[in-house]
Amino acid sequence: MKTIGGILVIAATSLWGHIAAEKVGNGYKELQYLQKLLYLLRGEILYARSYLGEAFLQIGRTAKSPYREWLLSLCRQMEEERGRTFAGMWEESVRASLKDSGLSDRELQRLAAFGNQLGIADAQMQIKTLDLYLEEIKLSMEEMREEMRTKMRLCHCLGVMSGIFITVLLM
């Protein structure tokens, strides 16, 4: 009976470690998806010559949640306008819609600050601003990739080792 209990404890803590490792990997996947959306925005501005509201609508229709809600609400806010600046609408929508997206707080702050530069220039300057921010995301992803491997291995090992430790304590 003790052996079965020990095996169940090790299995449960191993599963916990696996879930924790998946959470670490999800942040990276969300950053990749944001990068993809920004490349789509770049294409809409550069090739389709869309203004920002129209580009947000086109991309938002096909984006996954919560990015769909973020882009579509941003498009609605731009149509309503209400005397607010684009930077204010961008920052408010990033904080409201993407807080549970899986992006790190650091990335959310950088994304919110990015809106200050995006809506104030012509199409060429918007493209250059997008290129600069995409380069920042690329560097951030490289850093995250290195950390992610270590953290995922650590989560897996801690899950198994804590299960073994608890089992030894209980026996």
Side-chain angles (χ1 to χ4, degrees):
M1 195 64 138
K2 285 183 179 182
T3 307
I4 293 172
I7 291 171
L8 289 176
V9 167
I10 293 171
T13 57
S14 297
L15 180 63
W16 172 80
H18 181 72
I19 290 170
E22 290 240 346
K23 284 183 184 178
V24 171
N26 284 342
Y28 184 78
K29 289 176 187 171
E30 291 298 323
L31 195 55
Q32 275 183 318
Y33 192 75
L34 176 64
Q35 183 184 36
K36 175 186 168 187
L37 290 178
L38 291 174
Y39 274 117
L40 290 172
L41 178 62
R42 184 184 187 284
E44 284 288 326
I45 293 170
L46 185 61
Y47 300 115
R49 298 288 182 197
S50 302
Y51 66 93
L52 287 175
E54 188 177 273
F56 294 147
L57 181 63
Q58 290 298 323
I59 297 166
R61 288 180 180 159
T62 60
K64 71 177 187 176
S65 185
Y67 301 99
R68 174 186 308 120
E69 291 79 12
W70 169 52
L71 292 169
L72 294 178
S73 74
L74 195 53
C75 178
R76 274 192 305 275
Q77 288 177 24
M78 288 180 73
E79 289 173 358
E80 295 170 1
E81 202 169 323
R82 298 187 210 160
R84 296 183 310 175
T85 64
F86 176 77
M89 288 184 276
W90 177 274
E91 185 173 346
E92 180 184 311
S93 66
V94 165
R95 297 199 190 285
S97 299
L98 298 181
K99 64 183 175 201
D100 298 327
S101 66
L103 292 171
S104 68
D105 290 335
R106 179 177 149 213
E107 291 303 325
L108 286 174
Q109 288 173 351
R110 287 173 51 187
L111 182 60
F114 168 66
N116 291 331
Q117 303 162 354
L118 185 62
I120 59 172
D122 65 342
Q124 286 299 94
M125 195 61 182
Q126 287 178 356
I127 296 299
K128 290 184 190 292
T129 303
L130 273 165
D131 288 342
L132 180 63
Y133 185 65
L134 285 166
E135 188 63 32
E136 287 178 24
I137 287 179
K138 183 179 176 183
L139 292 173
S140 185
M141 286 173 65
E142 287 174 10
E143 290 174 13
M144 190 181 277
R145 193 177 310 122
E146 293 300 318
E147 289 177 16
M148 187 176 66
R149 287 185 189 129
T150 305
K151 286 181 180 179
M152 289 177 80
R153 258 189 252 131
L154 183 65
C155 288
H156 287 293
C157 288
L158 280 175
V160 173
M161 296 307 270
S162 64
I164 292 171
F165 180 72
I166 291 170
T167 302
V168 168
L169 284 178
L170 291 176
M171 291 190 167

